[in-house]
Amino acid sequence: MIESEPILFALNASAPYGERVSECLSIPLGRHEEREFEDGEHKARSLMSVRLRDVFVVQSLYSDATASVNDKLCRLLFFIGALKDASAASVTAVVPYLCYARKDRKSQTRDPVTTRYVAALFEAVGVDRIVTLDVHNLAAFQNAFRCRTDHLEAVGIFVEHFAPMARRVDVAVISPDLGGIKRAETFRMALENRTGRRATAGFMEKRRAGGVVTGEVLVGDVRGRTVIIVDDLISTGGTIARSAKACRAAGASRVYAAATHGLFVGDVGKLLAEATIEQIVVGDTVPPFRVPSAMVGRQVIVLDTAPLVAEAVRRIHAGGSLVALADGRSQAARSA
């Protein structure tokens, strides 16, 4: 007989995020152990029975000072394999930030398609389902995996953050490149629905060759408007900076940046100063450990995505629908 309550694990590297998901679900985190060996190898195992239980494992896949992205990926894969060997009814990997999602095609001869290889690794250990937030290329993500996938969008969370401001001022929503137009348009439409005020749309020209990004053309009316640049992630910040400078040059009154994943591998202070960005707003899928603490909560705002993930876990386990939740519509509706 299958127990009605799921088991939720969070590996050590994502324990704080897992604890917030656990609190939202009102279920305790499952007990497990992770051991390190002298030669650099490691193991992780459950300390409780998972037989015939639906199991969810939280692990966000990014590098930090304690572990590389590859190390975190291996730990997650090995733990999933151990859970399947322990007769779990199903195992869902909850990966708020999915690594290697940007390398989804061959941009040069003999390039790897790493997104597909990562998918094959998950499937090899028997994962039943992957849940993630705002991947770089949704079509590539969905086509790479043969197991079930659930893609959540944090648009509702960002709309709730920006709605009070958008009710007071004229807003333009800008995509920093052609590939992000659909993402920015989803945000713009949701913001309009939430506030009842029209927001203009636009996008930046972007060309990449030999690792160098160029393109200065801005399409869209931003003069006298508060601009919100919407992207899936901020890495070095170069793309956001280029867009912000173009918007300022075109007469934007203020510029904000919004992205679900804040990697911040560049100098965020320099980014804010040189691009004259008022604030950068990101999700907490990657903790802002690279951002000076004095800037967090002021120039860099971090939004909580754990309630969204927790609701997805609840619905998956109960056999509920993720259609409205996946694109944030239900979040906006609950807040209206």
Side-chain angles (χ1 to χ4, degrees):
M1 179 177 179
I2 299 178
E3 296 282 347
S4 60
E5 189 175 86
I7 296 177
L8 177 71
F9 289 103
L11 295 181
N12 292 346
S14 292
Y17 192 96
E19 288 167 359
R20 295 199 302 278
V21 174
S22 169
E23 291 171 1
C24 293
L25 290 170
S26 298
I27 62 174
L29 284 176
R31 293 179 294 108
H32 80 290
E33 72 166 354
E34 296 179 45
R35 289 184 56 193
E36 314 293 328
F37 298 102
E38 291 79 1
D39 60 357
E41 295 181 359
H42 48 75
K43 79 167 186 179
R45 70 181 180 113
S46 170
L47 295 177
M48 56 193 295
S49 175
V50 297
R51 180 175 296 276
L52 301 182
R53 301 287 294 274
D54 288 336
V55 180
F56 296 80
V57 185
V58 178
Q59 176 85 311
S60 205
L61 299 174
Y62 56 89
S63 293
D64 58 24
T66 63
S68 71
V69 60
N70 300 321
D71 191 45
K72 291 181 180 180
L73 175 60
C74 281
R75 288 173 187 265
L76 177 58
L77 293 172
F78 296 164
F79 190 56
I80 290 170
L83 293 170
K84 294 294 288 189
D85 287 346
S87 300
S90 69
V91 179
T92 297
V94 180
V95 187
Y97 177 68
L98 179 63
C99 61
Y100 294 109
R102 284 177 285 176
K103 192 55 187 154
D104 53 28
R105 64 186 179 88
K106 291 187 177 184
S107 54
Q108 298 182 37
T109 305
R110 294 180 291 277
D111 257 5
V113 186
T114 321
T115 300
R116 178 161 54 84
Y117 309 155
V118 169
L121 291 171
F122 274 106
E123 289 156 8
V125 296
V127 75
D128 295 281
R129 196 167 193 151
I130 300 285
V131 178
T132 191
L133 275 73
D134 285 323
V135 294
H136 185 67
N137 184 328
L138 179 56
F141 165 71
Q142 292 173 333
N143 287 324
F145 285 86
R146 297 297 173 263
C147 65
R148 297 193 66 177
T149 58
D150 290 301
H151 178 254
L152 306 177
E153 296 182 9
V155 58
I157 298 170
F158 285 92
V159 164
E160 290 309 305
H161 176 79
F162 283 106
M165 178 185 73
R167 291 191 183 98
R168 302 190 309 269
V169 299
D170 294 329
V171 169
V173 177
I174 301 297
S175 170
D177 53 40
L178 284 170
I181 287 179
K182 185 175 181 180
R183 180 183 300 107
E185 182 65 6
T186 298
F187 172 82
R188 187 189 67 81
M189 293 176 64
L191 188 64
E192 284 189 346
N193 290 338
R194 187 72 178 89
T195 63
R197 297 194 61 190
R198 181 176 176 272
T200 61
F203 65 90
M204 280 291 300
E205 172 196 24
K206 180 179 177 180
R207 297 189 300 272
R208 187 187 299 272
V212 178
V213 175
T214 58
E216 304 298 330
V217 177
L218 169 66
V219 178
D221 178 20
V222 301
R223 182 168 298 279
R225 293 179 175 270
T226 294
V227 169
I228 305 173
I229 302 170
V230 177
D231 209 351
D232 61 316
L233 63 86
I234 297 174
S235 181
T236 63
T239 296
I240 293 293
R242 182 177 55 86
S243 301
K245 290 175 182 176
C247 289
R248 285 288 194 179
S253 58
R254 292 186 298 174
V255 178
Y256 292 80
T260 303
H261 313 292
L263 299 179
F264 294 118
V265 297
D267 185 339
V268 65
K270 183 179 179 181
L271 167 63
L272 285 161
E274 290 188 353
T276 58
I277 297 175
E278 298 285 333
Q279 280 184 339
I280 297 176
V281 184
V282 295
D284 58 351
T285 57
V286 179
F289 60 92
R290 295 188 179 100
V291 179
S293 58
M295 297 180 66
V296 177
R298 300 181 66 182
Q299 295 102 321
V300 177
I301 307 298
V302 183
L303 304 182
D304 187 7
T305 62
L308 171 63
V309 170
E311 183 61 23
V313 170
R314 181 182 289 112
R315 295 188 186 199
I316 290 169
H317 178 67
S321 173
L322 293 183
V323 174
L325 183 67
D327 62 7
R329 289 197 301 268
S330 64
Q331 302 166 57
R334 285 197 299 270
S335 301

PDB file of all heavy atoms in Angstrom, residues 35-68:
ATOM      1  N   ARG A  35      28.315  11.396   2.904  1.00  0.00           N
ATOM      2  CA  ARG A  35      29.659  11.138   3.433  1.00  0.00           C
ATOM      3  C   ARG A  35      30.709  11.461   2.386  1.00  0.00           C
ATOM      4  O   ARG A  35      30.530  11.218   1.195  1.00  0.00           O
ATOM      5  CB  ARG A  35      29.789   9.670   3.848  1.00  0.00           C
ATOM      6  CG  ARG A  35      29.005   9.299   5.098  1.00  0.00           C
ATOM      7  CD  ARG A  35      29.276   7.853   5.491  1.00  0.00           C
ATOM      8  NE  ARG A  35      30.699   7.604   5.688  1.00  0.00           N
ATOM      9  CZ  ARG A  35      31.235   6.382   5.781  1.00  0.00           C
ATOM     10  NH1 ARG A  35      30.452   5.317   5.702  1.00  0.00           N
ATOM     11  NH2 ARG A  35      32.533   6.241   5.973  1.00  0.00           N
ATOM     12  N   GLU A  36      31.820  12.018   2.879  1.00  0.00           N
ATOM     13  CA  GLU A  36      32.963  12.324   2.027  1.00  0.00           C
ATOM     14  C   GLU A  36      34.065  11.307   2.312  1.00  0.00           C
ATOM     15  O   GLU A  36      34.302  10.932   3.463  1.00  0.00           O
ATOM     16  CB  GLU A  36      33.493  13.732   2.323  1.00  0.00           C
ATOM     17  CG  GLU A  36      32.423  14.813   2.431  1.00  0.00           C
ATOM     18  CD  GLU A  36      31.742  15.071   1.117  1.00  0.00           C
ATOM     19  OE1 GLU A  36      32.408  14.934   0.074  1.00  0.00           O
ATOM     20  OE2 GLU A  36      30.535  15.401   1.132  1.00  0.00           O
ATOM     21  N   PHE A  37      34.763  10.901   1.258  1.00  0.00           N
ATOM     22  CA  PHE A  37      35.881   9.977   1.421  1.00  0.00           C
ATOM     23  C   PHE A  37      37.196  10.694   1.121  1.00  0.00           C
ATOM     24  O   PHE A  37      37.216  11.733   0.449  1.00  0.00           O
ATOM     25  CB  PHE A  37      35.700   8.766   0.512  1.00  0.00           C
ATOM     26  CG  PHE A  37      34.470   7.968   0.841  1.00  0.00           C
ATOM     27  CD1 PHE A  37      33.325   8.080   0.061  1.00  0.00           C
ATOM     28  CD2 PHE A  37      34.436   7.120   1.934  1.00  0.00           C
ATOM     29  CE1 PHE A  37      32.186   7.354   0.362  1.00  0.00           C
ATOM     30  CE2 PHE A  37      33.305   6.390   2.247  1.00  0.00           C
ATOM     31  CZ  PHE A  37      32.174   6.509   1.456  1.00  0.00           C
ATOM     32  N   GLU A  38      38.268  10.127   1.641  1.00  0.00           N
ATOM     33  CA  GLU A  38      39.566  10.788   1.558  1.00  0.00           C
ATOM     34  C   GLU A  38      40.018  11.058   0.129  1.00  0.00           C
ATOM     35  O   GLU A  38      40.761  12.007  -0.145  1.00  0.00           O
ATOM     36  CB  GLU A  38      40.629   9.944   2.281  1.00  0.00           C
ATOM     37  CG  GLU A  38      40.473   9.883   3.787  1.00  0.00           C
ATOM     38  CD  GLU A  38      39.390   8.885   4.222  1.00  0.00           C
ATOM     39  OE1 GLU A  38      38.782   8.244   3.331  1.00  0.00           O
ATOM     40  OE2 GLU A  38      39.166   8.747   5.439  1.00  0.00           O
ATOM     41  N   ASP A  39      39.587  10.231  -0.808  1.00  0.00           N
ATOM     42  CA  ASP A  39      40.033  10.377  -2.191  1.00  0.00           C
ATOM     43  C   ASP A  39      39.145  11.316  -3.005  1.00  0.00           C
ATOM     44  O   ASP A  39      39.299  11.444  -4.216  1.00  0.00           O
ATOM     45  CB  ASP A  39      40.096   9.018  -2.882  1.00  0.00           C
ATOM     46  CG  ASP A  39      38.749   8.312  -2.905  1.00  0.00           C
ATOM     47  OD1 ASP A  39      37.788   8.856  -2.341  1.00  0.00           O
ATOM     48  OD2 ASP A  39      38.666   7.209  -3.486  1.00  0.00           O
ATOM     49  N   GLY A  40      38.202  12.000  -2.332  1.00  0.00           N
ATOM     50  CA  GLY A  40      37.337  12.936  -3.034  1.00  0.00           C
ATOM     51  C   GLY A  40      36.009  12.348  -3.468  1.00  0.00           C
ATOM     52  O   GLY A  40      35.133  13.081  -3.935  1.00  0.00           O
ATOM     53  N   GLU A  41      35.831  11.047  -3.341  1.00  0.00           N
ATOM     54  CA  GLU A  41      34.553  10.427  -3.671  1.00  0.00           C
ATOM     55  C   GLU A  41      33.553  10.658  -2.531  1.00  0.00           C
ATOM     56  O   GLU A  41      33.920  11.089  -1.438  1.00  0.00           O
ATOM     57  CB  GLU A  41      34.736   8.933  -3.940  1.00  0.00           C
ATOM     58  CG  GLU A  41      35.588   8.659  -5.176  1.00  0.00           C
ATOM     59  CD  GLU A  41      35.744   7.170  -5.457  1.00  0.00           C
ATOM     60  OE1 GLU A  41      35.205   6.347  -4.682  1.00  0.00           O
ATOM     61  OE2 GLU A  41      36.416   6.832  -6.442  1.00  0.00           O
ATOM     62  N   HIS A  42      32.303  10.384  -2.799  1.00  0.00           N
ATOM     63  CA  HIS A  42      31.272  10.637  -1.798  1.00  0.00           C
ATOM     64  C   HIS A  42      30.110   9.690  -2.012  1.00  0.00           C
ATOM     65  O   HIS A  42      30.003   9.024  -3.047  1.00  0.00           O
ATOM     66  CB  HIS A  42      30.787  12.084  -1.878  1.00  0.00           C
ATOM     67  CG  HIS A  42      30.449  12.531  -3.278  1.00  0.00           C
ATOM     68  ND1 HIS A  42      29.310  12.137  -3.933  1.00  0.00           N
ATOM     69  CD2 HIS A  42      31.108  13.340  -4.137  1.00  0.00           C
ATOM     70  CE1 HIS A  42      29.282  12.670  -5.132  1.00  0.00           C
ATOM     71  NE2 HIS A  42      30.373  13.410  -5.287  1.00  0.00           N
ATOM     72  N   LYS A  43      29.236   9.631  -1.013  1.00  0.00           N
ATOM     73  CA  LYS A  43      28.007   8.861  -1.169  1.00  0.00           C
ATOM     74  C   LYS A  43      26.892   9.562  -0.406  1.00  0.00           C
ATOM     75  O   LYS A  43      27.127  10.340   0.534  1.00  0.00           O
ATOM     76  CB  LYS A  43      28.171   7.432  -0.651  1.00  0.00           C
ATOM     77  CG  LYS A  43      28.083   7.280   0.861  1.00  0.00           C
ATOM     78  CD  LYS A  43      27.948   5.816   1.256  1.00  0.00           C
ATOM     79  CE  LYS A  43      27.705   5.672   2.760  1.00  0.00           C
ATOM     80  NZ  LYS A  43      27.537   4.270   3.174  1.00  0.00           N
ATOM     81  N   ALA A  44      25.668   9.300  -0.826  1.00  0.00           N
ATOM     82  CA  ALA A  44      24.493   9.827  -0.142  1.00  0.00           C
ATOM     83  C   ALA A  44      23.456   8.716  -0.095  1.00  0.00           C
ATOM     84  O   ALA A  44      23.291   7.972  -1.062  1.00  0.00           O
ATOM     85  CB  ALA A  44      23.940  11.039  -0.877  1.00  0.00           C
ATOM     86  N   ARG A  45      22.788   8.602   1.045  1.00  0.00           N
ATOM     87  CA  ARG A  45      21.754   7.571   1.176  1.00  0.00           C
ATOM     88  C   ARG A  45      20.649   8.061   2.093  1.00  0.00           C
ATOM     89  O   ARG A  45      20.858   8.912   2.962  1.00  0.00           O
ATOM     90  CB  ARG A  45      22.342   6.272   1.725  1.00  0.00           C
ATOM     91  CG  ARG A  45      22.772   6.355   3.188  1.00  0.00           C
ATOM     92  CD  ARG A  45      23.361   5.044   3.676  1.00  0.00           C
ATOM     93  NE  ARG A  45      23.763   5.140   5.080  1.00  0.00           N
ATOM     94  CZ  ARG A  45      23.181   4.473   6.070  1.00  0.00           C
ATOM     95  NH1 ARG A  45      22.183   3.643   5.812  1.00  0.00           N
ATOM     96  NH2 ARG A  45      23.593   4.609   7.318  1.00  0.00           N
ATOM     97  N   SER A  46      19.470   7.504   1.877  1.00  0.00           N
ATOM     98  CA  SER A  46      18.346   7.809   2.759  1.00  0.00           C
ATOM     99  C   SER A  46      18.524   7.084   4.081  1.00  0.00           C
ATOM    100  O   SER A  46      19.033   5.959   4.126  1.00  0.00           O
ATOM    101  CB  SER A  46      17.042   7.355   2.098  1.00  0.00           C
ATOM    102  OG  SER A  46      15.970   7.421   3.007  1.00  0.00           O
ATOM    103  N   LEU A  47      18.092   7.722   5.161  1.00  0.00           N
ATOM    104  CA  LEU A  47      18.118   7.081   6.476  1.00  0.00           C
ATOM    105  C   LEU A  47      16.715   6.653   6.902  1.00  0.00           C
ATOM    106  O   LEU A  47      16.474   6.389   8.080  1.00  0.00           O
ATOM    107  CB  LEU A  47      18.708   8.045   7.508  1.00  0.00           C
ATOM    108  CG  LEU A  47      20.180   8.415   7.301  1.00  0.00           C
ATOM    109  CD1 LEU A  47      20.622   9.430   8.346  1.00  0.00           C
ATOM    110  CD2 LEU A  47      21.067   7.172   7.357  1.00  0.00           C
ATOM    111  N   MET A  48      15.820   6.580   5.930  1.00  0.00           N
ATOM    112  CA  MET A  48      14.457   6.144   6.206  1.00  0.00           C
ATOM    113  C   MET A  48      13.947   5.330   5.017  1.00  0.00           C
ATOM    114  O   MET A  48      14.483   5.437   3.908  1.00  0.00           O
ATOM    115  CB  MET A  48      13.557   7.352   6.453  1.00  0.00           C
ATOM    116  CG  MET A  48      13.566   8.348   5.321  1.00  0.00           C
ATOM    117  SD  MET A  48      12.818   9.949   5.748  1.00  0.00           S
ATOM    118  CE  MET A  48      11.127   9.463   6.033  1.00  0.00           C
ATOM    119  N   SER A  49      12.960   4.526   5.245  1.00  0.00           N
ATOM    120  CA  SER A  49      12.416   3.696   4.172  1.00  0.00           C
ATOM    121  C   SER A  49      11.674   4.555   3.155  1.00  0.00           C
ATOM    122  O   SER A  49      10.893   5.444   3.510  1.00  0.00           O
ATOM    123  CB  SER A  49      11.456   2.651   4.744  1.00  0.00           C
ATOM    124  OG  SER A  49      10.834   1.925   3.691  1.00  0.00           O
ATOM    125  N   VAL A  50      11.925   4.292   1.875  1.00  0.00           N
ATOM    126  CA  VAL A  50      11.217   4.980   0.796  1.00  0.00           C
ATOM    127  C   VAL A  50      10.407   3.996  -0.040  1.00  0.00           C
ATOM    128  O   VAL A  50       9.867   4.359  -1.084  1.00  0.00           O
ATOM    129  CB  VAL A  50      12.212   5.741  -0.108  1.00  0.00           C
ATOM    130  CG1 VAL A  50      12.930   6.834   0.674  1.00  0.00           C
ATOM    131  CG2 VAL A  50      13.218   4.782  -0.750  1.00  0.00           C
ATOM    132  N   ARG A  51      10.307   2.767   0.429  1.00  0.00           N
ATOM    133  CA  ARG A  51       9.619   1.717  -0.336  1.00  0.00           C
ATOM    134  C   ARG A  51       8.184   2.144  -0.663  1.00  0.00           C
ATOM    135  O   ARG A  51       7.410   2.545   0.205  1.00  0.00           O
ATOM    136  CB  ARG A  51       9.615   0.418   0.457  1.00  0.00           C
ATOM    137  CG  ARG A  51       8.929  -0.747  -0.261  1.00  0.00           C
ATOM    138  CD  ARG A  51       9.075  -2.028   0.525  1.00  0.00           C
ATOM    139  NE  ARG A  51      10.479  -2.431   0.620  1.00  0.00           N
ATOM    140  CZ  ARG A  51      11.107  -3.132  -0.325  1.00  0.00           C
ATOM    141  NH1 ARG A  51      10.458  -3.512  -1.407  1.00  0.00           N
ATOM    142  NH2 ARG A  51      12.373  -3.449  -0.173  1.00  0.00           N
ATOM    143  N   LEU A  52       7.855   2.086  -1.950  1.00  0.00           N
ATOM    144  CA  LEU A  52       6.522   2.394  -2.462  1.00  0.00           C
ATOM    145  C   LEU A  52       6.051   3.803  -2.119  1.00  0.00           C
ATOM    146  O   LEU A  52       4.863   4.064  -2.025  1.00  0.00           O
ATOM    147  CB  LEU A  52       5.499   1.363  -1.962  1.00  0.00           C
ATOM    148  CG  LEU A  52       5.754  -0.093  -2.339  1.00  0.00           C
ATOM    149  CD1 LEU A  52       4.639  -0.975  -1.818  1.00  0.00           C
ATOM    150  CD2 LEU A  52       5.901  -0.246  -3.842  1.00  0.00           C
ATOM    151  N   ARG A  53       6.999   4.720  -1.952  1.00  0.00           N
ATOM    152  CA  ARG A  53       6.655   6.114  -1.658  1.00  0.00           C
ATOM    153  C   ARG A  53       7.021   7.006  -2.848  1.00  0.00           C
ATOM    154  O   ARG A  53       7.965   6.725  -3.593  1.00  0.00           O
ATOM    155  CB  ARG A  53       7.395   6.603  -0.411  1.00  0.00           C
ATOM    156  CG  ARG A  53       7.116   5.800   0.839  1.00  0.00           C
ATOM    157  CD  ARG A  53       5.742   6.055   1.390  1.00  0.00           C
ATOM    158  NE  ARG A  53       5.583   7.420   1.878  1.00  0.00           N
ATOM    159  CZ  ARG A  53       5.921   7.806   3.120  1.00  0.00           C
ATOM    160  NH1 ARG A  53       6.441   6.929   3.980  1.00  0.00           N
ATOM    161  NH2 ARG A  53       5.732   9.057   3.511  1.00  0.00           N
ATOM    162  N   ASP A  54       6.252   8.083  -3.017  1.00  0.00           N
ATOM    163  CA  ASP A  54       6.629   9.117  -3.981  1.00  0.00           C
ATOM    164  C   ASP A  54       7.675  10.003  -3.329  1.00  0.00           C
ATOM    165  O   ASP A  54       7.440  10.562  -2.249  1.00  0.00           O
ATOM    166  CB  ASP A  54       5.411   9.962  -4.361  1.00  0.00           C
ATOM    167  CG  ASP A  54       4.430   9.216  -5.239  1.00  0.00           C
ATOM    168  OD1 ASP A  54       4.843   8.261  -5.921  1.00  0.00           O
ATOM    169  OD2 ASP A  54       3.237   9.589  -5.252  1.00  0.00           O
ATOM    170  N   VAL A  55       8.825  10.116  -3.972  1.00  0.00           N
ATOM    171  CA  VAL A  55       9.955  10.846  -3.388  1.00  0.00           C
ATOM    172  C   VAL A  55      10.312  12.029  -4.274  1.00  0.00           C
ATOM    173  O   VAL A  55      10.369  11.919  -5.502  1.00  0.00           O
ATOM    174  CB  VAL A  55      11.176   9.920  -3.219  1.00  0.00           C
ATOM    175  CG1 VAL A  55      12.347  10.690  -2.608  1.00  0.00           C
ATOM    176  CG2 VAL A  55      10.824   8.710  -2.365  1.00  0.00           C
ATOM    177  N   PHE A  56      10.583  13.164  -3.635  1.00  0.00           N
ATOM    178  CA  PHE A  56      11.021  14.382  -4.319  1.00  0.00           C
ATOM    179  C   PHE A  56      12.371  14.790  -3.731  1.00  0.00           C
ATOM    180  O   PHE A  56      12.527  14.822  -2.510  1.00  0.00           O
ATOM    181  CB  PHE A  56      10.004  15.504  -4.133  1.00  0.00           C
ATOM    182  CG  PHE A  56       8.663  15.225  -4.754  1.00  0.00           C
ATOM    183  CD1 PHE A  56       7.734  14.419  -4.112  1.00  0.00           C
ATOM    184  CD2 PHE A  56       8.335  15.762  -5.992  1.00  0.00           C
ATOM    185  CE1 PHE A  56       6.494  14.155  -4.688  1.00  0.00           C
ATOM    186  CE2 PHE A  56       7.101  15.502  -6.575  1.00  0.00           C
ATOM    187  CZ  PHE A  56       6.180  14.694  -5.921  1.00  0.00           C
ATOM    188  N   VAL A  57      13.319  15.092  -4.604  1.00  0.00           N
ATOM    189  CA  VAL A  57      14.665  15.452  -4.158  1.00  0.00           C
ATOM    190  C   VAL A  57      15.013  16.843  -4.689  1.00  0.00           C
ATOM    191  O   VAL A  57      14.987  17.074  -5.901  1.00  0.00           O
ATOM    192  CB  VAL A  57      15.721  14.450  -4.643  1.00  0.00           C
ATOM    193  CG1 VAL A  57      17.095  14.803  -4.052  1.00  0.00           C
ATOM    194  CG2 VAL A  57      15.340  13.026  -4.281  1.00  0.00           C
ATOM    195  N   VAL A  58      15.332  17.767  -3.783  1.00  0.00           N
ATOM    196  CA  VAL A  58      15.666  19.143  -4.148  1.00  0.00           C
ATOM    197  C   VAL A  58      17.180  19.300  -4.234  1.00  0.00           C
ATOM    198  O   VAL A  58      17.901  18.975  -3.291  1.00  0.00           O
ATOM    199  CB  VAL A  58      15.101  20.140  -3.114  1.00  0.00           C
ATOM    200  CG1 VAL A  58      15.504  21.566  -3.478  1.00  0.00           C
ATOM    201  CG2 VAL A  58      13.581  20.012  -3.017  1.00  0.00           C
ATOM    202  N   GLN A  59      17.643  19.796  -5.375  1.00  0.00           N
ATOM    203  CA  GLN A  59      19.058  20.123  -5.527  1.00  0.00           C
ATOM    204  C   GLN A  59      19.190  21.109  -6.680  1.00  0.00           C
ATOM    205  O   GLN A  59      18.863  20.797  -7.825  1.00  0.00           O
ATOM    206  CB  GLN A  59      19.903  18.878  -5.828  1.00  0.00           C
ATOM    207  CG  GLN A  59      21.382  19.143  -6.093  1.00  0.00           C
ATOM    208  CD  GLN A  59      22.244  19.226  -4.851  1.00  0.00           C
ATOM    209  OE1 GLN A  59      21.899  19.936  -3.913  1.00  0.00           O
ATOM    210  NE2 GLN A  59      23.351  18.514  -4.835  1.00  0.00           N
ATOM    211  N   SER A  60      19.632  22.326  -6.389  1.00  0.00           N
ATOM    212  CA  SER A  60      19.866  23.324  -7.427  1.00  0.00           C
ATOM    213  C   SER A  60      21.303  23.170  -7.915  1.00  0.00           C
ATOM    214  O   SER A  60      22.224  23.024  -7.093  1.00  0.00           O
ATOM    215  CB  SER A  60      19.622  24.730  -6.872  1.00  0.00           C
ATOM    216  OG  SER A  60      19.284  25.636  -7.897  1.00  0.00           O
ATOM    217  N   LEU A  61      21.515  23.222  -9.226  1.00  0.00           N
ATOM    218  CA  LEU A  61      22.789  22.810  -9.803  1.00  0.00           C
ATOM    219  C   LEU A  61      23.594  24.002 -10.318  1.00  0.00           C
ATOM    220  O   LEU A  61      23.463  24.421 -11.475  1.00  0.00           O
ATOM    221  CB  LEU A  61      22.550  21.793 -10.918  1.00  0.00           C
ATOM    222  CG  LEU A  61      21.849  20.503 -10.456  1.00  0.00           C
ATOM    223  CD1 LEU A  61      21.521  19.603 -11.643  1.00  0.00           C
ATOM    224  CD2 LEU A  61      22.712  19.755  -9.428  1.00  0.00           C
ATOM    225  N   TYR A  62      24.429  24.549  -9.436  1.00  0.00           N
ATOM    226  CA  TYR A  62      25.311  25.659  -9.761  1.00  0.00           C
ATOM    227  C   TYR A  62      26.591  25.464  -8.954  1.00  0.00           C
ATOM    228  O   TYR A  62      26.613  24.770  -7.934  1.00  0.00           O
ATOM    229  CB  TYR A  62      24.660  26.998  -9.390  1.00  0.00           C
ATOM    230  CG  TYR A  62      24.254  27.062  -7.937  1.00  0.00           C
ATOM    231  CD1 TYR A  62      25.139  27.507  -6.951  1.00  0.00           C
ATOM    232  CD2 TYR A  62      22.989  26.625  -7.529  1.00  0.00           C
ATOM    233  CE1 TYR A  62      24.777  27.524  -5.617  1.00  0.00           C
ATOM    234  CE2 TYR A  62      22.620  26.643  -6.201  1.00  0.00           C
ATOM    235  CZ  TYR A  62      23.513  27.090  -5.250  1.00  0.00           C
ATOM    236  OH  TYR A  62      23.157  27.087  -3.918  1.00  0.00           O
ATOM    237  N   SER A  63      27.665  26.085  -9.393  1.00  0.00           N
ATOM    238  CA  SER A  63      28.935  26.001  -8.662  1.00  0.00           C
ATOM    239  C   SER A  63      28.992  27.060  -7.568  1.00  0.00           C
ATOM    240  O   SER A  63      28.474  28.168  -7.729  1.00  0.00           O
ATOM    241  CB  SER A  63      30.116  26.203  -9.611  1.00  0.00           C
ATOM    242  OG  SER A  63      30.228  25.126 -10.525  1.00  0.00           O
ATOM    243  N   ASP A  64      29.619  26.701  -6.457  1.00  0.00           N
ATOM    244  CA  ASP A  64      29.896  27.683  -5.410  1.00  0.00           C
ATOM    245  C   ASP A  64      31.240  27.348  -4.777  1.00  0.00           C
ATOM    246  O   ASP A  64      31.994  26.515  -5.295  1.00  0.00           O
ATOM    247  CB  ASP A  64      28.765  27.734  -4.374  1.00  0.00           C
ATOM    248  CG  ASP A  64      28.503  26.393  -3.702  1.00  0.00           C
ATOM    249  OD1 ASP A  64      29.429  25.546  -3.663  1.00  0.00           O
ATOM    250  OD2 ASP A  64      27.382  26.183  -3.204  1.00  0.00           O
ATOM    251  N   ALA A  65      31.559  27.969  -3.661  1.00  0.00           N
ATOM    252  CA  ALA A  65      32.871  27.783  -3.041  1.00  0.00           C
ATOM    253  C   ALA A  65      33.060  26.393  -2.458  1.00  0.00           C
ATOM    254  O   ALA A  65      34.185  25.954  -2.230  1.00  0.00           O
ATOM    255  CB  ALA A  65      33.083  28.835  -1.950  1.00  0.00           C
ATOM    256  N   THR A  66      31.975  25.685  -2.206  1.00  0.00           N
ATOM    257  CA  THR A  66      32.073  24.371  -1.560  1.00  0.00           C
ATOM    258  C   THR A  66      32.029  23.209  -2.532  1.00  0.00           C
ATOM    259  O   THR A  66      32.544  22.132  -2.239  1.00  0.00           O
ATOM    260  CB  THR A  66      30.943  24.194  -0.530  1.00  0.00           C
ATOM    261  OG1 THR A  66      29.672  24.239  -1.208  1.00  0.00           O
ATOM    262  CG2 THR A  66      30.988  25.289   0.519  1.00  0.00           C
ATOM    263  N   ALA A  67      31.408  23.392  -3.684  1.00  0.00           N
ATOM    264  CA  ALA A  67      31.270  22.279  -4.633  1.00  0.00           C
ATOM    265  C   ALA A  67      31.043  22.820  -6.035  1.00  0.00           C
ATOM    266  O   ALA A  67      30.400  23.859  -6.231  1.00  0.00           O
ATOM    267  CB  ALA A  67      30.101  21.375  -4.230  1.00  0.00           C
ATOM    268  N   SER A  68      31.583  22.088  -7.011  1.00  0.00           N
ATOM    269  CA  SER A  68      31.361  22.457  -8.405  1.00  0.00           C
ATOM    270  C   SER A  68      29.985  21.987  -8.853  1.00  0.00           C
ATOM    271  O   SER A  68      29.354  21.130  -8.218  1.00  0.00           O
ATOM    272  CB  SER A  68      32.424  21.814  -9.298  1.00  0.00           C
ATOM    273  OG  SER A  68      32.207  20.410  -9.394  1.00  0.00           O
TER     274      SER A  68
END
